[in-house]
Amino acid sequence: LRDYLYIPLGGNRGSHWTLSRNLMCTMLLGGLWHGAAWTFVIWGAYQGTLLLVQRMLHPFLNRYALFRNPLLQIFVTFQLMALGWLIFRVQSLSQLMNMLENLNLGWEWVAIRPYGQVLVYMLPLLVIQIIQMRSKRLEIFQSLPFYGQAILAAILGYGLFVYGALVAQQFIYFQF
């Protein structure tokens, strides 16, 4: 996308509006590249909007320590990307609207199975990431003692067993 769309459109050369146009066009066309459906166009627009909002808010938010917190940044990014993948995966606009209307954003989230799945996978990875940030070392998993590696592997294996898909899903790009 960068080499064949963004840079030929002008990249980040020019005014703020030129850069914004180039980002949005690139992401819209990237969405269309995935398929000729409105859901892909919306997904591309969503991704482009996230990029523009991030560029616009970054100087303001960077002034405050709270918004420079890597854990908060990881959490917000994960939430926004999860919503993006929902948009990407739906088959129709009506299905997207139905799913968005039925999102349960209250405190009852603990009892809902999909959130359990997210927690089972996210917590071990989040723990590793916190350790990596604090120790400034990336190869944390390999440096854990055997029992630490076994515990993490067991948690992830449990998550696969309990929350894994029971029906095989066809790879999305085989559709094209």
mmCIF file of all heavy atoms in Angstrom, residues 132-149:
data_model
loop_
_atom_site.group_PDB
_atom_site.id
_atom_site.type_symbol
_atom_site.label_atom_id
_atom_site.label_comp_id
_atom_site.label_asym_id
_atom_site.label_seq_id
_atom_site.Cartn_x
_atom_site.Cartn_y
_atom_site.Cartn_z
ATOM 1 N N GLN A 132 8.752 -7.463 29.534
ATOM 2 C CA GLN A 132 9.654 -6.985 28.490
ATOM 3 C C GLN A 132 9.912 -5.489 28.621
ATOM 4 O O GLN A 132 11.043 -5.032 28.482
ATOM 5 C CB GLN A 132 9.072 -7.272 27.104
ATOM 6 C CG GLN A 132 9.145 -8.705 26.696
ATOM 7 C CD GLN A 132 8.451 -8.956 25.366
ATOM 8 O OE1 GLN A 132 7.481 -8.301 25.022
ATOM 9 N NE2 GLN A 132 8.957 -9.930 24.638
ATOM 10 N N MET A 133 8.861 -4.718 28.891
ATOM 11 C CA MET A 133 9.030 -3.267 29.020
ATOM 12 C C MET A 133 9.909 -2.924 30.218
ATOM 13 O O MET A 133 10.781 -2.067 30.132
ATOM 14 C CB MET A 133 7.670 -2.579 29.167
ATOM 15 C CG MET A 133 6.895 -2.498 27.893
ATOM 16 S SD MET A 133 5.332 -1.596 28.010
ATOM 17 C CE MET A 133 4.872 -1.659 29.706
ATOM 18 N N ARG A 134 9.669 -3.595 31.323
ATOM 19 C CA ARG A 134 10.415 -3.271 32.544
ATOM 20 C C ARG A 134 11.878 -3.712 32.456
ATOM 21 O O ARG A 134 12.754 -3.028 32.958
ATOM 22 C CB ARG A 134 9.742 -3.884 33.748
ATOM 23 C CG ARG A 134 8.352 -3.349 33.944
ATOM 24 C CD ARG A 134 8.038 -3.182 35.378
ATOM 25 N NE ARG A 134 6.664 -2.744 35.514
ATOM 26 C CZ ARG A 134 6.328 -1.560 35.972
ATOM 27 N NH1 ARG A 134 7.249 -0.724 36.328
ATOM 28 N NH2 ARG A 134 5.070 -1.224 36.067
ATOM 29 N N SER A 135 12.121 -4.858 31.830
ATOM 30 C CA SER A 135 13.487 -5.377 31.756
ATOM 31 C C SER A 135 14.229 -4.895 30.509
ATOM 32 O O SER A 135 15.423 -5.103 30.407
ATOM 33 C CB SER A 135 13.470 -6.899 31.779
ATOM 34 O OG SER A 135 12.908 -7.400 30.580
ATOM 35 N N LYS A 136 13.500 -4.292 29.568
ATOM 36 C CA LYS A 136 14.077 -3.823 28.294
ATOM 37 C C LYS A 136 14.708 -4.970 27.499
ATOM 38 O O LYS A 136 15.680 -4.801 26.795
ATOM 39 C CB LYS A 136 15.103 -2.720 28.526
ATOM 40 C CG LYS A 136 14.599 -1.560 29.352
ATOM 41 C CD LYS A 136 14.556 -0.301 28.567
ATOM 42 C CE LYS A 136 14.222 0.901 29.387
ATOM 43 N NZ LYS A 136 12.867 1.086 29.734
ATOM 44 N N ARG A 137 14.131 -6.185 27.639
ATOM 45 C CA ARG A 137 14.599 -7.353 26.900
ATOM 46 C C ARG A 137 13.413 -7.977 26.182
ATOM 47 O O ARG A 137 12.347 -8.133 26.751
ATOM 48 C CB ARG A 137 15.195 -8.387 27.862
ATOM 49 C CG ARG A 137 16.480 -7.909 28.508
ATOM 50 C CD ARG A 137 17.064 -8.915 29.476
ATOM 51 N NE ARG A 137 17.073 -10.252 28.941
ATOM 52 C CZ ARG A 137 16.856 -11.334 29.675
ATOM 53 N NH1 ARG A 137 16.603 -11.237 30.958
ATOM 54 N NH2 ARG A 137 16.885 -12.536 29.133
ATOM 55 N N LEU A 138 13.599 -8.366 24.923
ATOM 56 C CA LEU A 138 12.514 -8.923 24.136
ATOM 57 C C LEU A 138 12.381 -10.434 24.263
ATOM 58 O O LEU A 138 11.319 -10.978 24.061
ATOM 59 C CB LEU A 138 12.688 -8.547 22.662
ATOM 60 C CG LEU A 138 12.569 -7.064 22.343
ATOM 61 C CD1 LEU A 138 12.798 -6.822 20.865
ATOM 62 C CD2 LEU A 138 11.207 -6.532 22.755
ATOM 63 N N GLU A 139 13.458 -11.114 24.608
ATOM 64 C CA GLU A 139 13.434 -12.582 24.626
ATOM 65 C C GLU A 139 13.077 -13.121 26.010
ATOM 66 O O GLU A 139 13.705 -14.036 26.524
ATOM 67 C CB GLU A 139 14.753 -13.161 24.136
ATOM 68 C CG GLU A 139 15.990 -12.776 24.936
ATOM 69 C CD GLU A 139 16.472 -11.362 24.695
ATOM 70 O OE1 GLU A 139 16.202 -10.791 23.643
ATOM 71 O OE2 GLU A 139 17.129 -10.817 25.592
ATOM 72 N N ILE A 140 12.037 -12.581 26.587
ATOM 73 C CA ILE A 140 11.625 -12.941 27.942
ATOM 74 C C ILE A 140 11.142 -14.388 28.018
ATOM 75 O O ILE A 140 11.524 -15.127 28.916
ATOM 76 C CB ILE A 140 10.522 -11.982 28.447
ATOM 77 C CG1 ILE A 140 11.101 -10.597 28.630
ATOM 78 C CG2 ILE A 140 9.891 -12.478 29.733
ATOM 79 C CD1 ILE A 140 12.245 -10.508 29.607
ATOM 80 N N PHE A 141 10.293 -14.817 27.085
ATOM 81 C CA PHE A 141 9.746 -16.180 27.159
ATOM 82 C C PHE A 141 10.863 -17.210 27.161
ATOM 83 O O PHE A 141 10.844 -18.148 27.945
ATOM 84 C CB PHE A 141 8.773 -16.434 26.000
ATOM 85 C CG PHE A 141 8.120 -17.780 26.079
ATOM 86 C CD1 PHE A 141 7.067 -18.003 26.952
ATOM 87 C CD2 PHE A 141 8.551 -18.832 25.286
ATOM 88 C CE1 PHE A 141 6.465 -19.247 27.043
ATOM 89 C CE2 PHE A 141 7.966 -20.075 25.368
ATOM 90 C CZ PHE A 141 6.907 -20.282 26.248
ATOM 91 N N GLN A 142 11.864 -17.019 26.286
ATOM 92 C CA GLN A 142 12.958 -17.983 26.202
ATOM 93 C C GLN A 142 13.814 -17.963 27.466
ATOM 94 O O GLN A 142 14.439 -18.965 27.813
ATOM 95 C CB GLN A 142 13.857 -17.680 24.990
ATOM 96 C CG GLN A 142 13.193 -17.885 23.671
ATOM 97 C CD GLN A 142 12.411 -16.665 23.201
ATOM 98 O OE1 GLN A 142 12.207 -15.700 23.923
ATOM 99 N NE2 GLN A 142 11.944 -16.725 21.971
ATOM 100 N N SER A 143 13.856 -16.833 28.161
ATOM 101 C CA SER A 143 14.700 -16.751 29.351
ATOM 102 C C SER A 143 13.977 -17.190 30.623
ATOM 103 O O SER A 143 14.585 -17.278 31.675
ATOM 104 C CB SER A 143 15.226 -15.318 29.522
ATOM 105 O OG SER A 143 14.158 -14.434 29.778
ATOM 106 N N LEU A 144 12.665 -17.483 30.526
ATOM 107 C CA LEU A 144 11.927 -17.980 31.687
ATOM 108 C C LEU A 144 12.407 -19.383 32.029
ATOM 109 O O LEU A 144 12.798 -20.146 31.147
ATOM 110 C CB LEU A 144 10.428 -18.036 31.395
ATOM 111 C CG LEU A 144 9.673 -16.725 31.334
ATOM 112 C CD1 LEU A 144 8.232 -16.977 30.897
ATOM 113 C CD2 LEU A 144 9.696 -16.018 32.672
ATOM 114 N N PRO A 145 12.352 -19.747 33.303
ATOM 115 C CA PRO A 145 12.656 -21.142 33.651
ATOM 116 C C PRO A 145 11.613 -22.065 33.029
ATOM 117 O O PRO A 145 10.536 -21.621 32.631
ATOM 118 C CB PRO A 145 12.592 -21.158 35.181
ATOM 119 C CG PRO A 145 11.866 -19.918 35.572
ATOM 120 C CD PRO A 145 12.026 -18.936 34.460
ATOM 121 N N PHE A 146 11.941 -23.329 32.977
ATOM 122 C CA PHE A 146 11.064 -24.298 32.324
ATOM 123 C C PHE A 146 9.647 -24.249 32.870
ATOM 124 O O PHE A 146 8.683 -24.279 32.111
ATOM 125 C CB PHE A 146 11.643 -25.710 32.469
ATOM 126 C CG PHE A 146 10.712 -26.764 31.949
ATOM 127 C CD1 PHE A 146 10.558 -26.951 30.585
ATOM 128 C CD2 PHE A 146 9.961 -27.543 32.820
ATOM 129 C CE1 PHE A 146 9.683 -27.902 30.088
ATOM 130 C CE2 PHE A 146 9.083 -28.490 32.346
ATOM 131 C CZ PHE A 146 8.952 -28.672 30.975
ATOM 132 N N TYR A 147 9.482 -24.165 34.200
ATOM 133 C CA TYR A 147 8.133 -24.167 34.773
ATOM 134 C C TYR A 147 7.355 -22.914 34.352
ATOM 135 O O TYR A 147 6.153 -22.982 34.163
ATOM 136 C CB TYR A 147 8.175 -24.317 36.299
ATOM 137 C CG TYR A 147 8.855 -23.180 37.023
ATOM 138 C CD1 TYR A 147 8.150 -22.040 37.377
ATOM 139 C CD2 TYR A 147 10.199 -23.266 37.367
ATOM 140 C CE1 TYR A 147 8.767 -20.995 38.040
ATOM 141 C CE2 TYR A 147 10.828 -22.229 38.021
ATOM 142 C CZ TYR A 147 10.109 -21.093 38.362
ATOM 143 O OH TYR A 147 10.725 -20.058 39.001
ATOM 144 N N GLY A 148 8.020 -21.785 34.174
ATOM 145 C CA GLY A 148 7.343 -20.578 33.701
ATOM 146 C C GLY A 148 6.848 -20.746 32.274
ATOM 147 O O GLY A 148 5.720 -20.366 31.944
ATOM 148 N N GLN A 149 7.697 -21.316 31.429
ATOM 149 C CA GLN A 149 7.291 -21.588 30.053
ATOM 150 C C GLN A 149 6.145 -22.593 30.021
ATOM 151 O O GLN A 149 5.192 -22.444 29.250
ATOM 152 C CB GLN A 149 8.478 -22.120 29.246
ATOM 153 C CG GLN A 149 9.546 -21.093 28.977
ATOM 154 C CD GLN A 149 10.694 -21.679 28.171
ATOM 155 O OE1 GLN A 149 10.658 -22.812 27.709
ATOM 156 N NE2 GLN A 149 11.736 -20.875 27.991
#
